[in-house]
Amino acid sequence: MTSDAGAARAFYAKVMGWNLEPFPGTGMDYTVVKAGERGVGGIMPIPEAAKANGMPPVWVAYIRSKNIDADVATLQKAGGKLHRGPEEIGGDVGRFAVVADPQGAMFMLLQPNGPEQRPVAEMTPGHVGWNELMADDWENAFTFYSGLFGWSKSRGMDMGDMGIYQIIALDGVDMGAMMNRPPNVPVCWQFYFIVDGLDAAVERVTSNGGKIIMGPMEVPGGQWVANCTDPQGAHFGMVSNTK
């Protein structure tokens, strides 16, 4: 969700190489971004109601739900907040809801129609490679999400003064992490897009008006990451097997 959808489309097409495809039937300016032929996300203007409440440009995740009404009820009982829905998405996509965890990190629930897509090969460029929650209290956040989605703890990494970086898994597969946020970072989910070569991707970010907030840096396991903002201010990360 962005303050300038046209500029955001141009930026990410150049930085990520995504293909852009308008999504009809929603009654709003919504663009599907694709890695090859696979849809991996979307770009849209910040809704007026959210803009009036001061919502900044931001990437927001969809988490799959098998029963969205039951998940919304469980979320609310656990202290989460329902912002919108559940309701239908145009084009027979499925039902969605805009929600937040008890500490305020926003995300979406989506109960899709139709069959599941086939998985792609690990570290396929253009896809989301890592999910990271910045929380006030990651342990309480983990209790919330594990109760809702069945996520489990994998290994925890001691980051000294920054505390524990707790890897989280789904069905035994590592897919993200939680940590207590630094003072200058809001409570939020952050997402790392896979690129082929981090230095070249960093150059594309800066030459197209984005900023590098942290990195490039090597992380355990030998991958390289950078944290960035796009020209409108939305935070995102990039991850690559090579520098």
Side-chain angles (χ1 to χ4, degrees):
M1 300 184 190
T2 182
S3 56
D4 189 333
R9 287 191 290 263
F11 173 80
Y12 286 104
K14 292 174 181 176
V15 171
M16 295 302 304
W18 285 333
N19 300 315
L20 308 177
E21 183 176 293
F23 184 65
T26 63
M28 58 185 176
D29 177 11
Y30 192 95
T31 300
V32 177
V33 297
K34 292 185 168 184
E37 294 301 313
R38 175 72 70 90
V40 295
I43 295 173
M44 63 177 285
I46 299 170
E48 289 300 322
K51 188 187 299 183
N53 288 326
M55 181 178 177
V58 63
W59 284 98
V60 183
Y62 286 84
I63 300 176
R64 182 188 175 100
S65 170
K66 293 182 179 179
N67 185 329
I68 196 167
D69 294 301
D71 281 345
V72 165
T74 301
L75 175 141
Q76 290 178 302
K77 288 179 182 177
K81 185 173 182 180
L82 175 64
H83 290 294
R84 178 177 174 178
E87 62 188 82
E88 294 288 335
I89 297 177
D92 197 35
V93 173
R95 299 178 71 218
F96 83 106
V98 184
V99 299
D101 69 25
Q103 298 179 44
M106 190 171 70
F107 62 97
M108 311 276 201
L109 292 170
L110 175 64
Q111 184 178 347
N113 296 329
E116 290 193 38
Q117 297 187 86
R118 293 180 179 177
V120 298
E122 187 175 353
M123 291 299 292
T124 298
H127 289 253
V128 176
W130 196 245
N131 311 279
E132 193 173 76
L133 178 65
M134 296 290 181
D136 281 331
D137 183 336
W138 75 260
E139 292 181 274
N140 279 336
F142 175 79
T143 298
F144 170 81
Y145 286 101
S146 62
L148 195 59
F149 301 117
W151 297 349
S152 60
K153 289 182 181 178
S154 183
R155 66 194 184 280
M157 300 168 57
D158 189 342
M159 300 177 66
D161 291 342
M162 296 180 68
I164 299 297
Y165 188 78
Q166 179 61 57
I167 309 297
I168 55 176
L170 176 63
D171 298 330
V173 178
D174 293 350
M175 52 87 172
M178 299 179 179
M179 65 178 292
N180 289 344
R181 65 184 180 91
N184 61 334
V185 175
V187 172
C188 65
W189 279 98
Q190 299 190 109
F191 312 101
Y192 288 76
F193 305 133
I194 301 167
V195 294
D196 186 10
L198 194 63
D199 283 345
V202 163
E203 171 60 28
R204 293 194 299 271
V205 169
T206 56
S207 64
N208 286 286
K211 296 179 181 178
I212 305 303
I213 305 302
M214 185 183 72
M217 62 180 292
E218 190 174 11
V219 294
Q223 293 179 327
W224 290 82
V225 300
N227 289 59
C228 321
T229 58
D230 66 24
Q232 289 71 51
H235 287 258
F236 66 100
M238 299 186 297
V239 58
S240 176
N241 282 334
T242 61
K243 190 173 186 294

